[in-house]
Amino acid sequence: MTEKLDIDHLRQWIGRSQEATDVVTAQLVKGLRATLFQEVGEPKAGDVAPFTVHWCLAQPVFPMSMLGPDGHPTRGGFLPPVPLPRRMWAGGEIEFLQPLQVGDESTRTSRIADVQIKTGSTGTLCFVSVEHSISSPRGTAIRERQDIVYREMTGGAPAGGKAPPPQAQHRETHVSDPVLLFRYSALTFNGHRIHYDRDYVTRVEGYPGLIFHGPLQAALIVEMAAKLRGGKAPKKFTYRGVQPLFEGTEFSVNANDSGESMELWTANAEGQPTMKGTAVW
């Protein structure tokens, strides 16, 4: 049985901050390019990195003894100790001010912005919003808000929508291979077992297979948006997860460009959106 949520206690974490520094290496850029279905090449100092490379930088490192049963660090510390067992990346918003480059020393300053409790179709939900500012030697490169959702261990994957699949002006297709998911987990030092441990995700969390990372879907969407605009990242990208995307199936990255903005989404093999986003330049 889940421990009762004490919202007043959890909201005491609002305003807490931390800072971390890392370097954008050529090896990291090669690995991320390969994972995002880009030409790997031989990146050198000063080359522009993939636009969401910051999600691979300065990730928290904890000893094995401090990990919980889901592979995440035990609750508490910087993030509030939400007692709900499932933790997922729900969405967020990114402002791209300037790209990070190979060789940059980058510093991320993070702050807990809000903690809210809501009730949804799967029960009690706790949303934690985290604000990040990522800098390079040239100044602030990225400002971001990440929305993390915690929920109860009830049910399995929500049923996919039955509406007709949206039509796309631009579409790319790939396969959600388990190796792809493993590579992204490695690049982001993400120990969450739902992305690589099939026994855990099916027997404990009740899903039909390994779950595709939300950030990886968002990264593919951002890169597609930039490619359609001559290599320029959007000024602002807002996105949210719609339903899980699972291993072993074809998926697509889609875009409709109105000129002023671009609607983007990833979709499963049936064409149903799994993540939706809006980009503006």
Side-chain angles (χ1 to χ4, degrees):
M1 184 173 179
T2 302
E3 178 185 341
K4 184 180 178 183
L5 287 172
D6 183 345
I7 186 60
D8 292 331
H9 175 63
L10 297 176
R11 287 181 66 85
Q12 292 178 18
W13 264 253
I14 295 175
R16 293 196 182 193
S17 63
Q18 67 177 13
E19 188 174 282
T21 299
D22 203 347
V23 176
V24 182
T25 67
Q27 185 68 15
L28 171 61
V29 169
K30 288 175 70 173
L32 187 55
R33 284 178 179 174
T35 305
L36 297 179
F37 305 102
Q38 299 176 349
E39 290 293 330
V40 176
E42 292 294 338
K44 59 184 183 302
D47 286 354
V48 171
F51 294 110
T52 57
V53 69
H54 63 289
W55 287 337
C56 303
L57 296 172
Q59 292 303 305
V61 176
F62 293 87
M64 295 296 293
S65 61
M66 293 182 64
L67 300 183
D70 62 356
H72 276 309
T74 50
R75 307 299 169 90
F78 173 64
L79 290 171
V82 180
L84 298 173
R86 279 184 173 162
R87 169 181 162 182
M88 304 287 284
W89 196 326
E93 182 176 275
I94 312 175
E95 293 181 75
F96 293 100
L97 306 179
Q98 55 178 305
L100 293 171
Q101 301 174 5
V102 176
D104 281 349
E105 182 176 85
S106 174
T107 298
R108 182 185 64 246
T109 302
S110 305
R111 174 183 175 273
I112 305 296
D114 198 11
V115 180
Q116 294 186 15
I117 293 178
K118 301 180 181 180
T119 301
S121 60
T122 57
T124 301
L125 305 171
C126 183
F127 288 87
V128 178
S129 292
V130 186
E131 294 175 345
H132 303 283
S133 177
I134 294 92
S135 68
S136 76
R138 296 170 299 285
T140 303
I142 296 167
R143 285 193 289 264
E144 178 181 12
R145 186 196 78 247
Q146 291 177 2
D147 298 324
I148 302 167
V149 62
Y150 299 80
R151 67 183 185 90
E152 297 170 283
M153 191 74 78
T154 55
K162 300 302 181 183
Q167 297 299 306
Q169 295 172 341
H170 308 277
R171 185 171 184 260
E172 296 178 355
T173 60
H174 305 285
V175 175
S176 56
D177 186 280
V179 177
L180 175 68
L181 305 187
F182 167 81
R183 281 185 160 195
Y184 196 73
S185 288
L187 286 166
T188 55
F189 203 70
N190 182 355
H192 199 182
R193 293 171 67 178
I194 64 172
H195 303 304
Y196 61 87
D197 187 336
R198 190 175 292 107
D199 283 347
Y200 172 83
V201 76
T202 56
R203 296 180 182 179
V204 178
E205 300 221 6
Y207 290 105
L210 300 177
I211 297 176
F212 202 102
H213 310 68
L216 178 52
Q217 293 181 66
L220 290 166
I221 288 173
V222 167
E223 294 295 337
M224 182 179 194
K227 183 166 63 175
L228 292 172
R229 290 296 182 93
K232 184 178 181 181
K235 289 182 179 178
K236 184 177 291 187
F237 173 60
T238 306
Y239 64 100
R240 64 182 178 88
V242 178
Q243 62 176 315
L245 176 61
F246 297 103
E247 63 165 317
T249 62
E250 182 180 87
F251 71 97
S252 59
V253 187
N254 307 270
N256 285 329
D257 191 349
S258 67
E260 294 183 357
S261 65
M262 195 180 295
E263 297 300 317
L264 303 117
W265 67 98
T266 46
N268 59 25
E270 290 73 42
Q272 296 296 327
T274 56
M275 175 173 285
K276 294 182 178 180
T278 301
V280 295
W281 281 260

